[in-house]
Amino acid sequence: MISITKGDITKFSVDAIVNAANSSLLGGGGVDGAIHRAAGPELLAECRTLGGCETGNAKITKGYNLKASYVIHTVGPIYSQSRKDECQRQLQSCYKKSLELAVQNGCKTVAFPLISAGVYGYPKKEALKVAVETIEEFGKDLQVTIVLFSDDLIDITKEMFGELVK
Ligand code: AR6
């Protein structure tokens, strides 16, 4: 089951929230910075043991001070129009691998931000389409929420996926 809602993902009480990380897994801006601030320094300490993460892959840690039990860190593609097919495959892989990790760790409820749609420049409408389609394909056993952060995205989303917006 999938729904789309507006909010701050760091506040969500779900089994796992997904982080739009970079390949170092050592923090950054955007949602990554917000998650590290809310989880506390133990999150960074665990991330330091993971040896980074390739684009399109995902790794899991505990949630520390978050309400979520786990954080799944995935690394989206840095968008480039000239490599758009590859970027799309990598973005699909982020959702698929994150959902697999969630299931392997016994999670039932998962919240995703819109991976790559901020600093990494993936066109928001396309990023949303990839998110919804990939979660519909691979997230059947989970209750998944896509968490949007801004009003402009909510308007696009209602046009595209009105029935999923909660
Ligand atoms: N809750 C939900 N969504 C959020 C939140 C939040 N608290 N904060 C931001 N967003 P971005 P990326 C949205 O830039 O494009 C970092 O520095 C935001 O509006 O966080 O994958 C990493 O370390 C946007 O729609 O991630 C990497 O270096 C979406 O989350 C790089 O940015 C993703 O935006 C990753 O870039």
Side-chain angles (χ1 to χ4, degrees):
M1 207 170 61
I2 173 168
S3 63
I4 307 172
T5 194
K6 197 184 145 188
D8 175 354
I9 202 166
T10 65
K11 306 272 195 311
F12 273 60
S13 291
V14 285
D15 296 327
I17 64 170
V18 179
N19 181 18
N22 60 62
S23 57
S24 77
L25 297 185
L26 299 180
V31 71
D32 193 5
I35 288 172
H36 274 274
R37 276 193 299 278
E42 285 169 302
L43 179 62
L44 181 59
E46 185 175 356
C47 284
R48 284 192 199 286
T49 68
L50 298 177
C53 182
E54 288 165 8
T55 302
N57 211 341
K59 294 199 176 173
I60 193 165
T61 64
K62 288 187 274 187
Y64 299 99
N65 296 339
L66 293 165
K67 290 181 184 153
S69 305
Y70 295 102
V71 180
I72 295 170
H73 307 262
T74 191
V75 183
I78 299 171
Y79 188 77
S80 142
Q81 176 70 29
S82 62
R83 298 174 34 253
K84 71 176 169 44
D85 290 348
E86 186 188 358
C87 288
Q88 184 177 319
R89 280 194 296 277
Q90 289 172 328
L91 189 58
Q92 286 166 336
S93 175
C94 287
Y95 286 97
K96 182 169 181 277
K97 299 271 177 156
S98 298
L99 292 165
E100 284 170 1
L101 269 182
V103 170
Q104 283 162 18
N105 286 275
C107 299
K108 303 277 184 233
T109 53
V110 182
F112 280 91
L114 218 46
I115 310 293
S116 282
V119 177
Y120 279 1
Y122 210 105
K124 291 182 194 305
K125 241 171 129 163
E126 277 99 288
L128 181 63
K129 192 162 177 287
V130 170
V132 170
E133 288 177 359
T134 313
I135 293 166
E136 278 178 341
E137 187 173 355
F138 298 104
K140 289 191 178 58
D141 301 331
L142 297 164
Q143 195 176 315
V144 181
T145 307
I146 298 174
V147 182
L148 303 177
F149 204 51
S150 58
D151 284 320
D152 58 328
L153 269 180
I154 282 285
D155 292 341
I156 297 172
T157 307
K158 282 186 178 152
E159 280 169 35
M160 292 170 73
F161 300 108
E163 77 286 5
L164 300 180
V165 180
K166 298 279 156 20

